[in-house]
Amino acid sequence: MFDILQKFIDLGAIVVLPILIFIFGLLLGTPARKAFNAGVTVGIGFVGLNLVVELLSGSLGKAAQAMVERFGLQLTTLDVGWPAAAAISYGTLLGSLAIPIGIAVNILLLFIGWTKTLMVDMWNFWHAAFVASLVYAVTHDFALGLYAMIAYQVMIYLLADIIAPAIKKFYGFPNITFPHGTSAPGFLVAIPLNWIFDRIPGFNKIQADPETIQKKFGIFGESTVMGLMIGLVIGILAGYNLQGVSQLAVKTAAVMLLMPRMVSILMEGLSPISEAANSFVQKRFPGREVNIGMDSALSVGHPAVLSSSLILVPITILLAVILPGNKTLPFGDLATIPFVVCLMAAVFRGNIIRTVIGGSLYMISILYITSWAAPLVTASAKAAKFNLDGHSSITAMAEGGLWPTGLFIFAANHLPWLIISLVLLVSLAGLFYVNKTTKTKETKEV
C-alpha cells in the first residue's frame, strides 16, 4: 500500500494535485464538471508556476555560481537545494512513512476539531521525513524517528492554523493556508522582529511596500522595473558581460510579471473547491471552518516577496563569506529564498526594507544551523543511497537550516524522548487553544 501511495506521489504536483482536487471536489458535493475543471486549472497553474520558478532558478543559479567563483569562496559544505533534500527524505523506509502518517494525523485532528487545515499538498510531507531522518541519524532509534515525525507534523498544523488569518489579510486568499515546512517557520521569526522594528524611532515610520515605492519613485517603483534593476545589479556582481547582464535583467523582470499571473490561475482553480469545503463543513459542523493546506508557492508571486528575495541573494552569499564559523556554500536553495521569507513579508505588511533586514538576520541563523546539521544531512543522504557527486559534505538551506530542524536535532542530542514529547504537547495545547478556546470566546462575544 505504501509503495502504491509513493508511486502516486512520485507523479509530481502537476499530476497529483489535479487528481486530489477533483476527488475532494466530488466528496464535497461539487458537480463533476466543475470539480474536473478546477483540478485541471490547478494543474495548469502549477505547470506555469514551475516554469517561472525554473526560469528564476536557472538564471539565479548560474549568476550565484558565477559570484561564488568570482569571489573565490572556499567553503566545505555544498547547499544542494530542496529537490535533493526531498529525494533524500523519501529515500529511506522511515521517510516513506511520512505521507500515510501525515494523512492520518491530519484526519484525526480534523475529526476531533483541533485543526482547521485540510492538507492537500501531500508532497510537502517530505519536510517531516527530512527532520525524522536527521533524528534517526543521531539516535539510530526508528521508533523515536517516527515519534519525531508525528510531533513535527502536529507542529506544522498548528503553524498553519496560526498563519491562515495573515494569509487572508495580506495575500487576499480566503480559506487557504500554508502547512509548508519551508515557509511557516519564518512567520514566528518575523513576529518578534516586527515588534522591535515598530519601536525603533524613525525606522518605524519608513513605508516601503510596493505600492508606496511605486507612488514615490514612479516607473522605477513598478515591480517589473524593480526586477530589471535587481537583475542588473546581480549580473554585475556575477561579473557577466553586457549580454549576460541584460539577459538576466530581462529574465528577473519577466519573473516579477509572470509569477503573479500563474498564481492567479492557481487561485482560479482552488476557489470553487475552497467554497465547497466550507459549505460542506458548515452543513455538518455548524460554526466550524476549514482551510485548504497548499504549497506556499501561491504567495511567492507577490512583488514584496520577489523583490526582497532577489536582493537577499547577493546578501546571503556575502554573509556566507563574512560569518565566522560558517561552512555552508549557498547554491541550490538561493532560488528558494522567496519561499523562506514569504510569510515574513506578510508579518512586515509588505515592507521590503523590513523583509530584507529581517530576512538577512534569518539567513544568518540558517547558515549556522545548516553548517551544524550538515554531517547529519550527509549521513542521511548516504543511507538513502543518494549520489553525493564527489562532495564530502552536503546540506540544504531551505530545510536543513530552519529553526524547527535545529530544535529537533538539539532534542535528538539531549533527552530526545522528553524534549520531543514537550514539542508535541505544546503543539497540541496550541491547537486546542486556537481551535477550541478561541472559538468559545468568539461565540460568547456574539
Side-chain angles (χ1 to χ4, degrees):
M1 183 180 69
F2 291 155
D3 289 341
I4 294 173
L5 185 59
Q6 186 64 57
K7 288 179 181 178
F8 174 65
I9 296 298
D10 288 343
L11 293 174
I14 63 172
V15 176
V16 171
L17 275 174
I19 294 173
L20 291 176
I21 292 295
F22 175 64
I23 294 172
F24 279 130
L26 293 179
L27 293 174
L28 296 170
T30 308
R33 180 178 177 180
K34 192 174 182 180
F36 181 79
N37 286 335
V40 172
T41 303
V42 167
I44 292 170
F46 255 101
V47 169
L49 193 60
N50 286 338
L51 289 173
V52 179
V53 170
E54 286 172 10
L55 173 63
L56 177 64
S57 301
S59 55
L60 270 185
K62 291 179 180 178
Q65 186 174 14
M67 277 190 274
V68 166
E69 292 173 354
R70 190 181 185 198
F71 296 144
L73 300 188
Q74 299 296 325
L75 298 168
T76 57
T77 297
L78 178 68
D79 163 35
V80 294
W82 73 264
I88 292 168
S89 303
Y90 283 141
T92 63
L93 174 61
L94 180 62
S96 67
L97 296 174
I99 294 170
I101 289 176
I103 294 172
V105 170
N106 189 215
I107 291 174
L108 175 61
L109 292 174
L110 279 169
F111 181 77
I112 63 177
W114 282 28
T115 186
K116 298 185 182 77
T117 300
L118 172 62
M119 182 63 158
V120 173
D121 185 28
M122 296 180 187
W123 165 256
N124 275 315
F125 282 130
W126 76 262
H127 296 276
F130 182 85
V131 169
S133 297
L134 297 190
V135 170
Y136 178 77
V138 174
T139 64
H140 300 288
D141 188 332
F142 191 85
L144 182 63
L146 286 177
Y147 191 53
M149 185 183 293
I150 294 170
Y152 178 89
Q153 289 171 337
V154 172
M155 181 181 69
I156 288 297
Y157 290 132
L158 169 61
L159 291 177
D161 285 349
I162 291 173
I163 64 183
I167 292 171
K168 180 179 180 180
K169 182 178 180 180
F170 181 71
Y171 290 110
F173 299 159
N175 303 116
I176 297 291
T177 190
F178 304 143
H180 190 189
T182 301
S183 306
F187 186 85
L188 294 188
V189 174
I191 290 175
L193 289 176
N194 197 51
W195 185 89
I196 294 171
F197 293 157
D198 281 340
R199 283 153 182 81
I200 300 176
F203 185 81
N204 57 7
K205 302 296 183 183
I206 299 176
Q207 293 184 351
D209 58 276
E211 294 79 11
T212 302
I213 291 175
Q214 186 170 350
K215 288 178 182 178
K216 289 183 177 180
F217 297 97
I219 187 173
F220 294 102
E222 294 181 6
S223 61
T224 51
V225 178
M226 289 176 64
L228 191 76
M229 292 189 295
I230 293 170
L232 284 171
V233 173
I234 293 176
I236 292 170
L237 290 173
Y240 283 179
N241 58 22
L242 178 61
Q243 180 185 21
V245 170
S246 56
Q247 287 187 355
L248 180 61
V250 174
K251 286 178 181 179
T252 53
V255 169
M256 296 291 286
L257 178 66
L258 294 174
M259 192 81 83
R261 304 286 175 88
M262 297 304 104
V263 172
S264 66
I265 294 174
L266 262 172
M267 289 306 301
E268 182 182 336
L270 284 173
S271 292
I273 304 302
S274 178
E275 293 170 4
N278 276 287
S279 297
F280 180 88
V281 170
Q282 288 299 320
K283 287 179 182 178
R284 290 157 180 81
F285 306 98
R288 284 183 60 183
E289 63 176 324
V290 64
N291 298 314
I292 305 298
M294 288 294 298
D295 193 304
S296 56
L298 289 173
S299 67
V300 299
H302 194 282
V305 176
L306 281 176
S307 300
S308 304
S309 302
L310 291 172
I311 295 170
L312 281 167
V313 170
I315 290 176
T316 300
I317 294 176
L318 175 62
L319 288 172
V321 175
I322 65 176
L323 288 176
N326 171 59
K327 299 177 182 178
T328 299
L329 174 62
F331 182 65
D333 270 336
L334 286 172
T336 311
I337 291 177
F339 294 82
V340 175
V341 302
C342 62
L343 288 172
M344 299 183 76
V347 175
F348 297 139
R349 301 179 294 278
N351 189 307
I352 293 174
I353 293 177
R354 292 193 182 199
T355 305
V356 170
I357 294 174
S360 298
L361 295 172
Y362 194 22
M363 292 309 301
I364 291 173
S365 70
I366 287 173
L367 286 169
Y368 276 127
I369 293 174
T370 199
S371 297
W372 174 49
L376 300 178
V377 177
T378 306
S380 297
K382 291 178 179 177
K385 295 180 173 58
F386 181 81
N387 183 12
L388 298 181
D389 197 23
H391 299 291
S392 59
S393 179
I394 65 169
T395 191
M397 290 195 306
E399 184 58 49
L402 303 182
W403 64 261
T405 303
L407 173 62
F408 277 88
I409 293 175
F410 176 83
N413 284 284
H414 305 86
L415 302 173
W417 284 99
L418 176 61
I419 297 177
I420 293 175
S421 294
L422 287 174
V423 172
L424 177 60
L425 290 173
V426 169
S427 299
L428 288 171
L431 283 169
F432 178 81
Y433 177 81
V434 171
N435 293 285
K436 293 289 187 180
T437 308
T438 304
K439 178 184 171 184
T440 302
K441 289 181 179 178
E442 290 174 351
T443 303
K444 289 181 179 177
E445 289 174 1
V446 173

